[in-house]
């Protein structure tokens, strides 16, 4: 019985880790509850079916469209949404008998809804209200004489949404913060579990490769969770200062976890040149030599320390009995000062030092969230960590990114024109395919443009929607055949489909499309109008909407995938250059400002680039050479970004009296790297003026004097770490230049 409880608790913890703060769960539950409450009230008032449908769809839209973080802003947006919705309902009902006029107004609303997105999230939400609820009037075919009932349905729907959001499923900031902290801790636990498995497997295949793949996945999910948590800190913390402190500690813990994973893989696979956890190349490079005997002897100690480190985060199946987390933390923090390091290679000793850095990051996060802990105040290592935290400066960040020239046409204007023209084509084509179901084509044309910025992204989103729609049609027909004449079961499955739709909307667009189509099948089952022909029309209209959207994207102010990826690559390189220059300035004794915001800006730019290259690296892409190039560029840039982030984290922890970056040799090498980055950026921007050759210098000095006399071990380690990270950045930039066919010459 106890084993079953432990297993269930482990599954539940992993579920919480997959949804930080339970944001997706709360979003899906809010939608289902608001729709159910609206239907219940309207049914009790004996409202006819069109009013029920209008109320349910209004509740769905009003719940999902409001995305602002703070409750006050959400309430204001919902309040403004009521008159907008009533006006749109009145206009749509008046135009419902006049097909052509209604279609013209519909297209104009689509254009306006996209165009006003430049004004911020509130304008975006109000635009969604206008577009989708005008569509509801055309779908339900409402009439002017129904306006009193429609107004009642709208008021009930918005009231239900507000009641569910602010009362039934309300989450106080402190509770939200606790959930976010627990979710991040659980993600760290998963990474440590994967690290333990990798260390236990050793370098032996094939189990070792599976364990390494699990480690890569868990670390990537940790990164995603960290970004989600930092996006939620505005509503989960009592003030901006606490939010900034927690944001810094989350970033520090994430960087330490990634660095620890890379170092462990390097020890287990000597000579494999592992610089990033993402396997971008088609084949992993084999190990150059076997693991050293003394490293093999130290491996059980490392496994024990990783398990002990897990104790400081939370319970689980690897929790050793009778271990005090505070004592474990104190021992691990000692590794940062080279205390009790095992007799092993420098690489393995670096792993133990990074384990201490990981423990320090967790201790820092604990202090940022919970404040002082008397039980650990008297420990020297904990006291030193606390002093380092207090010594860190938190001045304003300096953004050295040059201002880019604004495009002649705003992205919102371009997208609005493309969606309007695509929707016009979808209206005409949809009417020809099916006068009763034309709206499916328009809706598909609308959604394929959401969160896309190039023709390639639209194509990828379109084919994913088509796959999800086809799978949903098959599932809908199969479920309808199995249910027979059982309305309550169809209603239950429709509710579950709504839940699945909003639960997976940020995870998988294919799954979201699947649940949407399944829900439609269940609704038609309730109305006794489900036939294979209806769902086939759904597929046809979906394909037509994708074709119309893609045609508009290709013909109206097109943004090609190459143009989009070049722009984002340039932005990522500029962010990389900014973080690198600020880190080196701080290492040289200058006041470089806070490095957290520039480092996170680099992360965001890299995430945007990953999304933009999806059309190139998707398995269905026929351009195999471009796919290999895109993977190589992405891998090299991720390597450079990882070492730059690590360099920034090291720079913030280096004592103020240790001016590593002031050494003339390092200054010269840093200047060369900066010039190489500037050349690379200008080449990507197609702004080549003069020489486009990168320079390979003598290399980063392997030894720099830390101080005269006896230097502290942690200072020596910090110096060596700075040099290693800078060397890896230099190598990545040169390799990136070669991949982009730029010459690299020796410095003569």
């Amino acid at each position: 019985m106890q084993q079953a409880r432990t297993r269930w608790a482990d599954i539940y913890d992993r579920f919480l880790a997959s949804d930080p703060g339970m944001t997706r769960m709360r979003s899906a539950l809010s939608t289902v509850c608001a729709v159910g409450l609206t239907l219940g009230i309207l049914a009790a008032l004996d409202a006819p079916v069109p009013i029920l449908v209008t109320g349910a769809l209004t509740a769905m839209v009003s719940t999902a469209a409001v995305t602002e973080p703070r409750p006050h802003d959400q309430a204001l947006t919902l309040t403004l949404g009521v008159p907008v919705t009533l006006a749109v309902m009145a206009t749509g009902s008046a135009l419902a008998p006049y097909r052509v006029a209604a279609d013209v107004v519909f297209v104009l609303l689509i254009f306006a809804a996209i165009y006003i997105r430049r004004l911020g999230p509130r304008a975006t939400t109000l635009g969604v209200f206008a577009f989708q609820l005008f569509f509801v009037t055309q779908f339900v075919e409402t009439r002017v004489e129904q306006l009193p009932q429609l107004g009642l349905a709208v008021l009930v729907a918005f009231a239900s949404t507000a009641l569910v959001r602010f009362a039934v499923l309300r989450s106080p900031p402190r509770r939200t913060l606790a959930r976010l902290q627990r979710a991040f801790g659980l993600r760290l636990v998963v990474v440590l579990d994967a690290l333990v498995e990798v260390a236990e497997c050793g370098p032996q295949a094939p189990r070792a490769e599976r364990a390494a793949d699990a480690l890569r996945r868990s670390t990537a999910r940790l990164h995603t969770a960290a970004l989600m948590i930092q996006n939620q800190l505005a509503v989960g913390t009592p003030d901006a200062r606490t939010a900034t402190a927690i944001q810094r500690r989350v970033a520090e813990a994430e960087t330490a976890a990634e660095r620890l994973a890379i170092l462990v893989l390097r020890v287990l696979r000597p000579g494999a040149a592992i610089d990033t956890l993402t396997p971008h190349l088609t084949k992993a490079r084999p190990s150059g030599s076997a693991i050293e005997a003394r490293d093999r002897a130290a491996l059980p100690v490392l496994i024990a320390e990783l398990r002990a480190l897990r104790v400081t985060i939370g319970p689980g199946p690897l929790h050793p009995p009778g271990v005090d987390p505070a004592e474990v933390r104190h021992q691990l923090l000692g590794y940062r000062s080279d205390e009790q390091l095992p007799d092993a290679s420098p690489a393995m000793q670096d792993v133990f030092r990074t384990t201490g850095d990981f423990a320090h990051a967790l201790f820092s996060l604990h202090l940022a969230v919970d404040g002082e802990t008397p039980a650990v105040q008297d420990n020297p290592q904990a006291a030193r960590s606390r002093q380092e935290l207090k010594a860190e400066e938190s001045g304003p960040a300096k953004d050295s990114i040059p201002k880019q020239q604004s495009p002649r046409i705003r992205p919102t204007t371009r997208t609005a024109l493309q969606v309007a023209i695509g929707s016009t084509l979808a209206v005409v084509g949809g009417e020809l395919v099916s006068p009763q179901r034309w709206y499916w084509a328009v809706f598909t044309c609308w959604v394929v443009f959401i969160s896309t910025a190039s023709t390639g992204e639209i194509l990828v989103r379109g084919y994913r929607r088509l796959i999800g729609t086809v799978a949903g049609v098959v599932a809908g027909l199969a479920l309808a055949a199995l249910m027979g004449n059982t309305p309550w079961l169809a209603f239950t499955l429709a509710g579950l489909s709504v839940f699945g739709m909003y639960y997976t909307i940020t995870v998988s667009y294919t799954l979201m499309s699947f649940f949407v189509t399944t829900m439609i099948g269940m609704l038609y089952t309730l109305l006794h109008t489900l036939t294979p022909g209806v769902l086939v029309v759904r597929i046809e209209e979906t394909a037509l909407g994708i074709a119309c959207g893609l045609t508009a994207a290709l013909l109206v102010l097109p943004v090609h995938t190459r143009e989009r990826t070049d722009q984002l690559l340039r932005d990522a390189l500029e962010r990389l250059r900014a973080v690198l220059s600020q880190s080196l300035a701080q290492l040289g004794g200058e006041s470089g400002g806070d490095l957290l915001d520039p480092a996170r800006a680099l992360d965001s730019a890299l995430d945007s680039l990953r999304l933009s290259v999806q059309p190139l690296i998707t398995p269905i892409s026929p351009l195999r050479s471009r796919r290999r190039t895109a993977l190589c560029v992405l891998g090299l840039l991720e390597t450079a970004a990882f070492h730059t982030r690590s360099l920034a984290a090291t720079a913030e922890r280096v004592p103020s009296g240790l001016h590593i970056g002031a050494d003339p040799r390092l200054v010269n090498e840093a200047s060369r790297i900066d010039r190489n980055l500037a050349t690379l950026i200008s080449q990507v921007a197609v702004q080549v003026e003069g020489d486009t050759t990168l320079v390979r210098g003598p290399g980063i000095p392997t030894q720099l004097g830390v101080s005269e006399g006896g230097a502290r071990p942690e200072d020596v380690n910090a110096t060596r770490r700075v040099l290693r990270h800078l060397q890896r950045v230099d190598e990545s930039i040169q390799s990136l230049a070669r991949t982009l066919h730029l010459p690299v010459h020796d410095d003569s």
Side-chain angles (χ1 to χ4, degrees), residues 633-657:
V633 168
L634 194 58
L636 291 169
L637 192 57
E638 285 185 350
T639 300
F642 164 71
H643 288 287
T644 302
R645 289 196 310 267
S646 299
L647 184 66
T650 304
E652 289 202 325
R653 292 198 300 268
V654 169
S656 57

PDB file of all heavy atoms in Angstrom, residues 633-657:
ATOM      1  N   VAL A 633      23.711  25.628 -37.426  1.00  0.00           N
ATOM      2  CA  VAL A 633      23.721  27.007 -36.939  1.00  0.00           C
ATOM      3  C   VAL A 633      23.060  27.099 -35.571  1.00  0.00           C
ATOM      4  O   VAL A 633      23.569  27.752 -34.650  1.00  0.00           O
ATOM      5  CB  VAL A 633      23.018  27.935 -37.955  1.00  0.00           C
ATOM      6  CG1 VAL A 633      22.754  29.304 -37.337  1.00  0.00           C
ATOM      7  CG2 VAL A 633      23.856  28.077 -39.212  1.00  0.00           C
ATOM      8  N   LEU A 634      21.931  26.429 -35.430  1.00  0.00           N
ATOM      9  CA  LEU A 634      21.225  26.467 -34.150  1.00  0.00           C
ATOM     10  C   LEU A 634      22.060  25.838 -33.050  1.00  0.00           C
ATOM     11  O   LEU A 634      22.133  26.356 -31.927  1.00  0.00           O
ATOM     12  CB  LEU A 634      19.879  25.750 -34.291  1.00  0.00           C
ATOM     13  CG  LEU A 634      18.865  25.954 -33.171  1.00  0.00           C
ATOM     14  CD1 LEU A 634      18.536  27.428 -32.992  1.00  0.00           C
ATOM     15  CD2 LEU A 634      17.595  25.157 -33.455  1.00  0.00           C
ATOM     16  N   GLY A 635      22.710  24.717 -33.344  1.00  0.00           N
ATOM     17  CA  GLY A 635      23.547  24.071 -32.339  1.00  0.00           C
ATOM     18  C   GLY A 635      24.719  24.922 -31.911  1.00  0.00           C
ATOM     19  O   GLY A 635      25.028  25.045 -30.719  1.00  0.00           O
ATOM     20  N   LEU A 636      25.400  25.538 -32.873  1.00  0.00           N
ATOM     21  CA  LEU A 636      26.548  26.391 -32.544  1.00  0.00           C
ATOM     22  C   LEU A 636      26.117  27.629 -31.769  1.00  0.00           C
ATOM     23  O   LEU A 636      26.797  28.060 -30.828  1.00  0.00           O
ATOM     24  CB  LEU A 636      27.271  26.800 -33.830  1.00  0.00           C
ATOM     25  CG  LEU A 636      28.003  25.673 -34.568  1.00  0.00           C
ATOM     26  CD1 LEU A 636      28.445  26.137 -35.942  1.00  0.00           C
ATOM     27  CD2 LEU A 636      29.199  25.192 -33.755  1.00  0.00           C
ATOM     28  N   LEU A 637      24.979  28.198 -32.150  1.00  0.00           N
ATOM     29  CA  LEU A 637      24.499  29.378 -31.436  1.00  0.00           C
ATOM     30  C   LEU A 637      24.063  29.027 -30.018  1.00  0.00           C
ATOM     31  O   LEU A 637      24.296  29.795 -29.077  1.00  0.00           O
ATOM     32  CB  LEU A 637      23.341  30.009 -32.212  1.00  0.00           C
ATOM     33  CG  LEU A 637      22.912  31.411 -31.773  1.00  0.00           C
ATOM     34  CD1 LEU A 637      24.086  32.374 -31.829  1.00  0.00           C
ATOM     35  CD2 LEU A 637      21.775  31.914 -32.642  1.00  0.00           C
ATOM     36  N   GLU A 638      23.448  27.877 -29.843  1.00  0.00           N
ATOM     37  CA  GLU A 638      23.071  27.451 -28.491  1.00  0.00           C
ATOM     38  C   GLU A 638      24.306  27.214 -27.637  1.00  0.00           C
ATOM     39  O   GLU A 638      24.310  27.521 -26.438  1.00  0.00           O
ATOM     40  CB  GLU A 638      22.213  26.191 -28.566  1.00  0.00           C
ATOM     41  CG  GLU A 638      20.789  26.434 -29.027  1.00  0.00           C
ATOM     42  CD  GLU A 638      19.942  25.183 -28.966  1.00  0.00           C
ATOM     43  OE1 GLU A 638      20.510  24.096 -28.758  1.00  0.00           O
ATOM     44  OE2 GLU A 638      18.713  25.293 -29.129  1.00  0.00           O
ATOM     45  N   THR A 639      25.355  26.650 -28.247  1.00  0.00           N
ATOM     46  CA  THR A 639      26.605  26.460 -27.503  1.00  0.00           C
ATOM     47  C   THR A 639      27.180  27.794 -27.051  1.00  0.00           C
ATOM     48  O   THR A 639      27.555  27.976 -25.886  1.00  0.00           O
ATOM     49  CB  THR A 639      27.624  25.712 -28.380  1.00  0.00           C
ATOM     50  OG1 THR A 639      27.101  24.437 -28.736  1.00  0.00           O
ATOM     51  CG2 THR A 639      28.935  25.528 -27.641  1.00  0.00           C
ATOM     52  N   ALA A 640      27.246  28.758 -27.986  1.00  0.00           N
ATOM     53  CA  ALA A 640      27.766  30.081 -27.630  1.00  0.00           C
ATOM     54  C   ALA A 640      26.895  30.757 -26.577  1.00  0.00           C
ATOM     55  O   ALA A 640      27.407  31.399 -25.652  1.00  0.00           O
ATOM     56  CB  ALA A 640      27.855  30.956 -28.889  1.00  0.00           C
ATOM     57  N   ALA A 641      25.570  30.599 -26.700  1.00  0.00           N
ATOM     58  CA  ALA A 641      24.664  31.220 -25.732  1.00  0.00           C
ATOM     59  C   ALA A 641      24.824  30.600 -24.352  1.00  0.00           C
ATOM     60  O   ALA A 641      24.800  31.306 -23.335  1.00  0.00           O
ATOM     61  CB  ALA A 641      23.223  31.090 -26.212  1.00  0.00           C
ATOM     62  N   PHE A 642      24.969  29.269 -24.299  1.00  0.00           N
ATOM     63  CA  PHE A 642      25.162  28.614 -23.003  1.00  0.00           C
ATOM     64  C   PHE A 642      26.410  29.126 -22.304  1.00  0.00           C
ATOM     65  O   PHE A 642      26.383  29.489 -21.121  1.00  0.00           O
ATOM     66  CB  PHE A 642      25.244  27.097 -23.188  1.00  0.00           C
ATOM     67  CG  PHE A 642      25.813  26.380 -21.996  1.00  0.00           C
ATOM     68  CD1 PHE A 642      25.083  26.261 -20.822  1.00  0.00           C
ATOM     69  CD2 PHE A 642      27.092  25.840 -22.036  1.00  0.00           C
ATOM     70  CE1 PHE A 642      25.605  25.618 -19.712  1.00  0.00           C
ATOM     71  CE2 PHE A 642      27.625  25.195 -20.936  1.00  0.00           C
ATOM     72  CZ  PHE A 642      26.889  25.086 -19.770  1.00  0.00           C
ATOM     73  N   HIS A 643      27.531  29.189 -23.024  1.00  0.00           N
ATOM     74  CA  HIS A 643      28.775  29.630 -22.391  1.00  0.00           C
ATOM     75  C   HIS A 643      28.733  31.123 -22.075  1.00  0.00           C
ATOM     76  O   HIS A 643      29.345  31.566 -21.100  1.00  0.00           O
ATOM     77  CB  HIS A 643      29.957  29.296 -23.299  1.00  0.00           C
ATOM     78  CG  HIS A 643      30.262  27.826 -23.360  1.00  0.00           C
ATOM     79  ND1 HIS A 643      30.845  27.143 -22.318  1.00  0.00           N
ATOM     80  CD2 HIS A 643      30.022  26.903 -24.329  1.00  0.00           C
ATOM     81  CE1 HIS A 643      30.975  25.863 -22.641  1.00  0.00           C
ATOM     82  NE2 HIS A 643      30.489  25.695 -23.851  1.00  0.00           N
ATOM     83  N   THR A 644      28.001  31.898 -22.867  1.00  0.00           N
ATOM     84  CA  THR A 644      27.865  33.324 -22.553  1.00  0.00           C
ATOM     85  C   THR A 644      27.022  33.528 -21.306  1.00  0.00           C
ATOM     86  O   THR A 644      27.351  34.361 -20.450  1.00  0.00           O
ATOM     87  CB  THR A 644      27.236  34.066 -23.744  1.00  0.00           C
ATOM     88  OG1 THR A 644      28.049  33.867 -24.907  1.00  0.00           O
ATOM     89  CG2 THR A 644      27.145  35.555 -23.464  1.00  0.00           C
ATOM     90  N   ARG A 645      25.924  32.781 -21.185  1.00  0.00           N
ATOM     91  CA  ARG A 645      25.117  32.864 -19.957  1.00  0.00           C
ATOM     92  C   ARG A 645      25.938  32.433 -18.742  1.00  0.00           C
ATOM     93  O   ARG A 645      25.850  33.033 -17.671  1.00  0.00           O
ATOM     94  CB  ARG A 645      23.865  31.993 -20.083  1.00  0.00           C
ATOM     95  CG  ARG A 645      22.825  32.515 -21.038  1.00  0.00           C
ATOM     96  CD  ARG A 645      21.484  31.831 -20.802  1.00  0.00           C
ATOM     97  NE  ARG A 645      21.614  30.384 -20.767  1.00  0.00           N
ATOM     98  CZ  ARG A 645      21.466  29.579 -21.817  1.00  0.00           C
ATOM     99  NH1 ARG A 645      21.218  30.111 -22.999  1.00  0.00           N
ATOM    100  NH2 ARG A 645      21.574  28.280 -21.692  1.00  0.00           N
ATOM    101  N   SER A 646      26.699  31.344 -18.909  1.00  0.00           N
ATOM    102  CA  SER A 646      27.534  30.878 -17.797  1.00  0.00           C
ATOM    103  C   SER A 646      28.600  31.914 -17.449  1.00  0.00           C
ATOM    104  O   SER A 646      28.924  32.114 -16.269  1.00  0.00           O
ATOM    105  CB  SER A 646      28.193  29.544 -18.179  1.00  0.00           C
ATOM    106  OG  SER A 646      27.224  28.555 -18.443  1.00  0.00           O
ATOM    107  N   LEU A 647      29.135  32.566 -18.471  1.00  0.00           N
ATOM    108  CA  LEU A 647      30.117  33.626 -18.221  1.00  0.00           C
ATOM    109  C   LEU A 647      29.484  34.774 -17.439  1.00  0.00           C
ATOM    110  O   LEU A 647      30.091  35.320 -16.506  1.00  0.00           O
ATOM    111  CB  LEU A 647      30.672  34.132 -19.550  1.00  0.00           C
ATOM    112  CG  LEU A 647      31.780  35.186 -19.484  1.00  0.00           C
ATOM    113  CD1 LEU A 647      33.039  34.600 -18.867  1.00  0.00           C
ATOM    114  CD2 LEU A 647      32.074  35.726 -20.875  1.00  0.00           C
ATOM    115  N   ALA A 648      28.237  35.128 -17.800  1.00  0.00           N
ATOM    116  CA  ALA A 648      27.538  36.195 -17.078  1.00  0.00           C
ATOM    117  C   ALA A 648      27.287  35.794 -15.631  1.00  0.00           C
ATOM    118  O   ALA A 648      27.450  36.606 -14.705  1.00  0.00           O
ATOM    119  CB  ALA A 648      26.224  36.517 -17.780  1.00  0.00           C
ATOM    120  N   ALA A 649      26.880  34.529 -15.422  1.00  0.00           N
ATOM    121  CA  ALA A 649      26.637  34.066 -14.054  1.00  0.00           C
ATOM    122  C   ALA A 649      27.923  34.080 -13.236  1.00  0.00           C
ATOM    123  O   ALA A 649      27.925  34.440 -12.051  1.00  0.00           O
ATOM    124  CB  ALA A 649      26.037  32.659 -14.084  1.00  0.00           C
ATOM    125  N   THR A 650      29.038  33.696 -13.853  1.00  0.00           N
ATOM    126  CA  THR A 650      30.321  33.719 -13.150  1.00  0.00           C
ATOM    127  C   THR A 650      30.753  35.146 -12.845  1.00  0.00           C
ATOM    128  O   THR A 650      31.266  35.440 -11.766  1.00  0.00           O
ATOM    129  CB  THR A 650      31.393  33.018 -14.004  1.00  0.00           C
ATOM    130  OG1 THR A 650      30.958  31.696 -14.322  1.00  0.00           O
ATOM    131  CG2 THR A 650      32.708  32.942 -13.251  1.00  0.00           C
ATOM    132  N   ALA A 651      30.531  36.048 -13.800  1.00  0.00           N
ATOM    133  CA  ALA A 651      30.935  37.445 -13.605  1.00  0.00           C
ATOM    134  C   ALA A 651      30.218  38.077 -12.421  1.00  0.00           C
ATOM    135  O   ALA A 651      30.803  38.895 -11.692  1.00  0.00           O
ATOM    136  CB  ALA A 651      30.659  38.247 -14.874  1.00  0.00           C
ATOM    137  N   GLU A 652      28.967  37.701 -12.203  1.00  0.00           N
ATOM    138  CA  GLU A 652      28.224  38.295 -11.095  1.00  0.00           C
ATOM    139  C   GLU A 652      28.676  37.763  -9.745  1.00  0.00           C
ATOM    140  O   GLU A 652      28.405  38.374  -8.717  1.00  0.00           O
ATOM    141  CB  GLU A 652      26.731  38.038 -11.286  1.00  0.00           C
ATOM    142  CG  GLU A 652      26.119  38.837 -12.432  1.00  0.00           C
ATOM    143  CD  GLU A 652      24.628  38.987 -12.279  1.00  0.00           C
ATOM    144  OE1 GLU A 652      23.991  38.041 -11.779  1.00  0.00           O
ATOM    145  OE2 GLU A 652      24.098  40.048 -12.649  1.00  0.00           O
ATOM    146  N   ARG A 653      29.358  36.603  -9.734  1.00  0.00           N
ATOM    147  CA  ARG A 653      29.796  36.028  -8.461  1.00  0.00           C
ATOM    148  C   ARG A 653      31.267  36.292  -8.167  1.00  0.00           C
ATOM    149  O   ARG A 653      31.746  35.964  -7.093  1.00  0.00           O
ATOM    150  CB  ARG A 653      29.541  34.516  -8.460  1.00  0.00           C
ATOM    151  CG  ARG A 653      28.095  34.130  -8.442  1.00  0.00           C
ATOM    152  CD  ARG A 653      27.930  32.685  -8.005  1.00  0.00           C
ATOM    153  NE  ARG A 653      28.623  31.777  -8.894  1.00  0.00           N
ATOM    154  CZ  ARG A 653      28.064  31.195  -9.958  1.00  0.00           C
ATOM    155  NH1 ARG A 653      26.811  31.460 -10.265  1.00  0.00           N
ATOM    156  NH2 ARG A 653      28.752  30.356 -10.718  1.00  0.00           N
ATOM    157  N   VAL A 654      31.994  36.841  -9.137  1.00  0.00           N
ATOM    158  CA  VAL A 654      33.418  37.119  -8.910  1.00  0.00           C
ATOM    159  C   VAL A 654      33.560  38.284  -7.932  1.00  0.00           C
ATOM    160  O   VAL A 654      32.878  39.305  -8.079  1.00  0.00           O
ATOM    161  CB  VAL A 654      34.112  37.454 -10.251  1.00  0.00           C
ATOM    162  CG1 VAL A 654      35.511  38.005 -10.012  1.00  0.00           C
ATOM    163  CG2 VAL A 654      34.197  36.206 -11.116  1.00  0.00           C
ATOM    164  N   PRO A 655      34.402  38.166  -6.918  1.00  0.00           N
ATOM    165  CA  PRO A 655      34.583  39.269  -5.957  1.00  0.00           C
ATOM    166  C   PRO A 655      35.023  40.551  -6.660  1.00  0.00           C
ATOM    167  O   PRO A 655      35.692  40.528  -7.693  1.00  0.00           O
ATOM    168  CB  PRO A 655      35.674  38.738  -5.018  1.00  0.00           C
ATOM    169  CG  PRO A 655      35.606  37.250  -5.151  1.00  0.00           C
ATOM    170  CD  PRO A 655      35.189  36.972  -6.560  1.00  0.00           C
ATOM    171  N   SER A 656      34.641  41.678  -6.081  1.00  0.00           N
ATOM    172  CA  SER A 656      34.914  42.971  -6.710  1.00  0.00           C
ATOM    173  C   SER A 656      36.408  43.243  -6.852  1.00  0.00           C
ATOM    174  O   SER A 656      36.834  43.966  -7.745  1.00  0.00           O
ATOM    175  CB  SER A 656      34.266  44.098  -5.891  1.00  0.00           C
ATOM    176  OG  SER A 656      34.737  44.070  -4.547  1.00  0.00           O
ATOM    177  N   GLY A 657      37.244  42.665  -5.991  1.00  0.00           N
ATOM    178  CA  GLY A 657      38.680  42.909  -6.078  1.00  0.00           C
ATOM    179  C   GLY A 657      39.397  42.038  -7.081  1.00  0.00           C
ATOM    180  O   GLY A 657      40.596  42.211  -7.311  1.00  0.00           O
TER     181      GLY A 657
END
